[in-house]
Amino acid sequence: MVRCWWLAGLLVACAAAEPPLRWEPRCRQQLRHLQDGARIAARLPPRLEGRWVSTGCEVRPGPEFLTRSYLFYANRLFKAYQFYYWDPSCRDPSYSLVIKGKLRLRQASWITRGATEADYHLHKVGIVFHSQKAMREVATWINQTSGEGCSGFLPPGRTWAPGALYELLSAKTERDCTAALGFAMHELSLVRVEKHYQPLLQPQQSGSRLVEELYLGDIHTEWVERLHYRPTGYQQPMQSAVHHMHPCPVCGIIYRADEHHPPILPVRAQLPMQLSGSWVSTHCEVRPAVLFLTRYFIFHGNNHTWEGYYYHYSDPLCKQPTFTIYASGHYTQGIPSSKVRGGTELAFKVTQAQVTPMDQVTVMMLNSSEPGSCGLTSSWSAGVEQDITPTNGCLALGIKLPHTEYELFKTEQDMKDRSLLYIGERPTDGSSPDSPDKRPTSYQAPLVRCAGASEEFSNYVSLKYLGKKDANGSEALKPLPVAFLSFIALLFLR
């Protein structure tokens, strides 16, 4: 009996000793992984040579459904394919664009940290129609909206000829009929290449494989603005045709495609909209106007309430925090979108919010804000959370309470059978989708489910940046309570 109590005492002593036993939920693990910038390398200027392909069916504002395949040569010339579709699964092609030109990398961007600015010049743009319907629709756009040089681009009644290539733009003849399609290649004016290593998936294998991702400039959410918009954020990344994530059957399909043989992506099962649980960013995200952030959401399906954490940073690796926003409220039952096939429309009411400044620049900005517009006047300090609900939000950060946002959601499964959540893309001008006519028609970077409804822990102390700091200045995880471990020890002895 003495030995048993000696064992219990030993367990309690171990519980109280340093270093503490650690408990780290999957969502916390994912956020910690995102902050490990050593896993990602970004060279300036980037090396673009080679072919880059989409990893799935992309959705642009409009909506437009497309896949991309871009080839960059060592002599700075490029040849790009853009394949457009009628459907959100990219299985019913409409038309394909062949874009040829030249790209010159310039200096590191003064606006978007980690990016390189570039100039491009288009030599030719050709179009191949994949149905009579597509030909008739595009011809109508061009004949109605283009200038004199394009009015007879395709005479009415022209019969569709499979495989025929029609010239939309030519630098030699100075003809440009691309505006009617909302076409521009301004995405090439902002470039970033990231490299990281993916662990090999097979249990019997060790090591990792190189993955390269190409980030190009974002597309403006307003159709009329996209022709002259200069990007400050990114689209979903393309991946190297040689060094890409595995498995990626779509990569090979798009790599082998051309304007006459557009890629037909594999059938994917439609998932019901199941929001309940916790969702977290898959990488450090970049938004227009130079916002670097990661997101973490918890949805409570039983009462249709939600919580969201927005972690903002000053660098493209999300290692230097500036401020955190915690928001909560409730959401409506979703209905299928009539405008964006495959999407679900919801309305989100934001009723409460707290802000935690994480650096002195943000502290100074909040303390100099107009009295009564953002929390208690001149009371902000780094690392201390403050409720901004009593002041109806925070004018300095553009937060208004309460308010409603009209959203677009979509869920999918990736090739690793992980559940992904796509939330509507924020307006490029920084406004809020606060009316039905401003509801998004495209999506942000996906979130991955990190916990199911039964695993929800909404009050992660670590997610609010509280607690001790470790030797590297990062927040240490909380040790399990000694009383709790003592209880376990006694149960074990019993």
Side-chain angles (χ1 to χ4, degrees), residues 307-370:
E307 303 171 71
Y309 297 85
Y310 305 82
Y311 304 101
H312 291 79
Y313 302 85
S314 62
D315 67 299
L317 295 180
C318 288
K319 296 184 68 176
Q320 301 168 16
T322 53
F323 63 94
T324 299
I325 299 174
Y326 166 79
S328 62
H330 56 269
Y331 60 95
T332 63
Q333 184 74 31
I335 60 172
S337 173
S338 58
K339 191 170 185 180
V340 184
R341 288 173 55 189
T344 300
E345 296 180 351
L346 305 94
F348 275 72
K349 187 71 175 273
V350 187
T351 56
Q352 298 182 46
Q354 288 89 43
V355 172
T356 307
M358 299 303 298
D359 65 353
Q360 288 303 318
V361 174
T362 306
V363 170
M364 291 176 60
M365 178 188 71
L366 295 178
N367 279 331
S368 61
S369 59
E370 184 180 344

Side-chain angles (χ1 to χ4, degrees), residues 181-243:
L181 299 176
F183 170 83
M185 287 298 286
H186 298 329
E187 60 189 278
L188 294 178
S189 62
L190 196 69
V191 181
R192 176 178 170 87
V193 173
E194 289 188 356
K195 297 182 179 182
H196 64 274
Y197 287 87
Q198 176 194 18
L200 298 178
L201 300 178
Q202 300 300 325
Q204 66 272 19
Q205 295 178 321
S206 61
S208 57
R209 62 167 55 89
L210 175 64
V211 176
E212 293 182 307
E213 293 185 310
L214 171 62
Y215 289 83
L216 296 177
D218 62 304
I219 308 299
H220 202 287
T221 52
E222 291 293 331
W223 181 277
V224 295
E225 300 290 339
R226 63 164 60 182
L227 294 182
H228 53 80
Y229 168 67
R230 295 299 175 183
T232 55
Y234 302 120
Q235 299 176 67
Q236 285 296 295
M238 306 168 76
Q239 292 193 4
S240 166
V242 177
H243 303 294

Side-chain angles (χ1 to χ4, degrees), residues 28 35 40 50 56 75 91 112 156 197 241 265 289 307 316 339-340 346 393 407 451 458 464 466 488:
R28 169 69 186 192
Q35 290 181 322
I40 296 176
N75 61 359
R91 292 186 51 80
T112 306
Y197 287 87
L265 303 195
E307 303 171 71
K339 191 170 185 180
V340 184
L346 305 94
E407 273 293 358
S458 60
K464 293 187 178 181
L466 299 180
I488 294 176

